[in-house]
Amino acid sequence: MAQSPSREKSQLKPKSETAWWLAPNLTLVVFSLFVLYSAWEVLTHNVGRYQNYLSPYFSPDVGLWLGVPFLPAVLVAWIPLGFRASCYYYRREYYRGFFRDPAACGIHDRSKRYQGETRAPLSWNNLHRFFLYLALVVVVFLWKDAVDGFWYQGHLEVGLGSLILLLDAILLSFYTFSCHAFRHLVGGNIDCFSCQSGGRSRYRWWRTISTLNQRHGLFAWTSMFMVWGTDLYIRLLLSGVIHDVKFF
């Protein structure tokens, strides 16, 4: 079926005439707000627990282990923040949104010579796989926090906060396990699956993670907003601005 002239014309519309600037500017604003909120939270607060709810910025609760309840969140928050900042998906987003280098596909690159991530501070992004190893440990504690959110003073309790913590753990798990570095870890570093011991199992894992990896960008943004919202909810509870809604 032949396309209509108007539809064919819109598909051939040159990049310079499209709203290519919308995505990088939106990234600039939203990601900046997230960074500013995170900096405000981890640098100005040393309490992130309300009853049985623990903010993801304070997980794992190192202060509880050491018997020092008032430790700043920055002691543990650098792990997930470093993991997110060095994420392959977010690199593309902040290269476009903050550096405009390039701002979008089909837009001229401002760099006179491409140097990649060979110089500091961009070369620090190569630490991403090591942040992944630490982030996997944090995910385990996030699930522990989610389970603890359903228990208060030895009794099962379902509140809005416990459901928020559960959703936060789910989205952060999807974000972490759909990571490019995790995909490489489970099988992306193998050239021949049939030549490896347990290659068939690793191939199935690799296929599963590859399917998740296709939605890594979606998990990146939804988990970021979820961390933001979860911490804000607990902060408002601590401030007495709102009260937790109890369902059971």
Side-chain angles (χ1 to χ4, degrees):
M1 181 181 293
Q3 296 181 347
S4 63
S6 59
R7 183 177 181 181
E8 183 177 359
K9 183 177 179 181
S10 63
Q11 291 180 344
L12 297 176
K13 195 173 184 180
K15 193 72 175 181
S16 59
E17 296 182 17
T18 62
W20 60 265
W21 47 267
L22 181 61
N25 285 339
L26 185 62
T27 298
L28 174 66
V29 173
V30 175
F31 200 63
S32 294
L33 290 175
F34 176 73
V35 171
L36 290 174
Y37 179 88
S38 300
W40 170 75
E41 178 62 89
V42 303
L43 296 177
T44 63
H45 294 100
N46 53 18
V47 177
R49 180 180 293 277
Y50 175 81
Q51 296 181 358
N52 53 329
Y53 301 153
L54 180 64
S55 165
Y57 282 105
F58 288 79
S59 182
D61 194 349
V62 179
L64 183 64
W65 305 343
L66 300 178
V68 183
F70 302 108
L71 289 178
V74 71
L75 291 179
V76 294
W78 63 272
I79 296 176
L81 291 177
F83 176 65
R84 194 174 289 270
S86 61
C87 170
Y88 292 108
Y89 174 79
Y90 278 122
R91 292 185 209 182
R92 186 195 75 173
E93 292 301 308
Y94 64 68
Y95 286 165
R96 291 181 175 183
F98 290 84
F99 303 150
R100 308 292 169 140
D101 198 18
C105 295
I107 303 301
H108 187 267
D109 195 333
R110 297 189 308 170
S111 299
K112 295 181 180 180
R113 187 179 67 177
Y114 177 73
Q115 297 177 340
E117 297 176 339
T118 59
R119 296 183 179 182
L122 296 183
S123 61
W124 298 345
N125 283 323
N126 294 316
L127 296 173
H128 180 63
R129 69 178 63 183
F130 300 104
F131 277 114
L132 168 66
Y133 304 148
L134 296 173
L136 291 173
V137 177
V138 173
V139 167
V140 174
F141 283 98
L142 288 173
W143 276 100
K144 177 183 179 300
D145 298 334
V147 173
D148 291 343
F150 287 91
W151 292 92
Y152 182 61
Q153 296 181 345
H155 300 285
L156 177 65
E157 182 179 83
V158 179
L160 180 59
S162 57
L163 297 178
I164 289 176
L165 284 172
L166 176 61
L167 183 58
D168 179 65
I170 292 174
L171 290 177
L172 284 173
S173 296
F174 274 112
Y175 170 60
T176 303
F177 292 115
S178 66
C179 170
H180 297 76
F182 187 75
R183 178 175 178 265
H184 176 80
L185 179 66
V186 299
N189 57 347
I190 298 178
D191 295 327
C192 177
F193 285 99
S194 61
C195 304
Q196 298 287 329
S197 176
R200 182 173 297 180
S201 297
R202 294 193 65 178
Y203 176 72
R204 287 197 295 265
W205 271 102
W206 177 78
R207 286 291 301 270
T208 301
I209 299 304
S210 296
T211 301
L212 291 176
N213 183 255
Q214 296 175 10
R215 299 289 184 268
H216 187 55
L218 174 64
F219 298 141
W221 284 106
T222 53
S223 64
M224 186 186 78
F225 280 110
M226 198 65 217
V227 169
W228 196 350
T230 303
D231 180 81
L232 181 60
Y233 183 79
I234 295 176
R235 183 59 52 196
L236 292 175
L237 290 175
L238 285 167
S239 303
V241 176
I242 62 175
H243 298 283
D244 189 34
V245 179
K246 303 296 183 183
F247 301 107
F248 174 75

